[in-house]
Amino acid sequence: MFEDALMESGGKLKTRSKYWMIATFVFNGLIVGLMILIPLLYPEALPHNSLTASLTAPPPPPPPPPPPPPPAVKIIKVVTVDNGLHAPTKIPKDIKMVKEDAPPPPAGAGVAGMEGMAGGSPGGVFGGITGGTGPAIHVAPPKPTGPARISGGVIAGNRIAFVEPQYPPIAKIAHMSGTVVLHAIISKTGSVERLSVSSSTNPMFNNYAMQAVQQWRYRPYLLNGDPTEVDTTITVNFALNGSE
């Protein structure tokens, strides 16, 4: 009996719970449907603040600041100077020639011997005699303060005594030739005072060239009529067919 009671009660419970679930589902569906239909049928029932906030767009950003004003332009006035010379706008028919009178002679006494006086002449001097010529003025040229720089070709023409340089024996055996350029100071009397080697193709020729050139003599070099020292170069060539 107890088992039958349980079976009967179980069937009743299952039937009741089934109906209850269906009723609950229908009730909930009606509530949700009402919540959807009411705003559609009566939109004024919705709160205005929330609707306005959802539909209002955000404010636009502020406009950019205006650009700075352009710098002031300085106006420079160009002033033209009228020099009085203008190109003619038309060619005149008649051109008048204007003749100017000769200026009067200057007042006062002239200078004796000057041009423009009776008996004067061009180039007259103050205090000269009328009809005479002034004394000639000679300006002495400045004297050189040191040796005059003269080229070797020019000074070679003043040579009056020549000693042939000795040929180095070793160079003669080896059939060697060379050239020595010497820097020389020639005195006012024409003697060679100082010698130094400027350039040489072979050092073995240097001493032989200097020993020979020290014995050479020159005519005094005249500058403005006065003997003067000379700064020059002397070239000595060594060759198997002869030397200088």
Side-chain angles (χ1 to χ4, degrees):
M1 293 178 64
F2 182 74
E3 292 178 357
D4 295 337
L6 289 176
M7 291 178 62
E8 291 178 1
S9 62
K12 292 179 181 180
L13 289 174
K14 288 181 180 181
T15 303
R16 290 179 181 178
S17 60
K18 181 178 179 181
Y19 292 144
W20 178 253
M21 290 177 62
I22 293 172
T24 304
F25 179 77
V26 173
F27 180 74
N28 291 334
L30 292 175
I31 293 174
V32 172
L34 290 175
M35 293 177 64
I36 295 172
L37 291 175
I38 289 174
L40 296 176
L41 298 176
Y42 302 99
E44 61 273 6
L46 296 175
H48 295 282
N49 294 334
S50 61
L51 183 61
T52 305
S54 61
L55 297 178
T56 303
V73 179
K74 295 183 179 180
I75 300 175
I76 301 175
K77 295 183 179 180
V78 179
V79 179
T80 58
V81 179
D82 189 3
N83 54 9
L85 299 177
H86 302 280
T89 57
K90 61 181 179 178
I91 300 175
K93 296 181 179 180
D94 298 332
I95 301 175
K96 296 181 180 180
M97 301 298 294
V98 179
K99 295 183 179 181
E100 297 182 356
D101 297 333
V111 179
M114 294 295 291
E115 183 180 5
M117 293 186 61
S121 61
V125 297
F126 288 96
I129 300 173
T130 304
T133 58
I137 300 175
H138 298 282
V139 178
K143 294 183 178 181
T145 57
R149 179 65 180 172
I150 307 299
S151 65
V154 174
I155 204 63
N158 287 0
R159 188 176 61 190
I160 56 178
F162 171 75
V163 176
E164 186 175 354
Q166 184 181 358
Y167 210 94
I170 299 176
K172 185 180 293 185
I173 295 172
H175 298 280
M176 299 174 61
S177 61
T179 301
V180 180
V181 180
L182 301 175
H183 176 254
I185 300 295
I186 301 175
S187 66
K188 297 179 181 179
T189 60
S191 61
V192 180
E193 290 187 347
R194 295 192 297 272
L195 278 176
S196 61
V197 178
S198 295
S199 62
S200 175
T201 58
N202 196 325
M204 71 170 59
F205 296 105
N206 296 351
N207 291 333
Y208 292 93
M210 294 181 67
Q211 291 174 5
V213 173
Q214 285 177 350
Q215 304 177 52
W216 293 0
R217 292 294 180 270
Y218 295 85
R219 286 192 302 270
Y221 184 81
L222 301 179
L223 184 62
N224 298 325
D226 297 329
T228 183
E229 288 185 332
V230 173
D231 184 349
T232 186
T233 57
I234 300 173
T235 303
V236 182
N237 295 317
F238 290 86
L240 293 176
N241 58 353
S243 61
E244 181 177 356

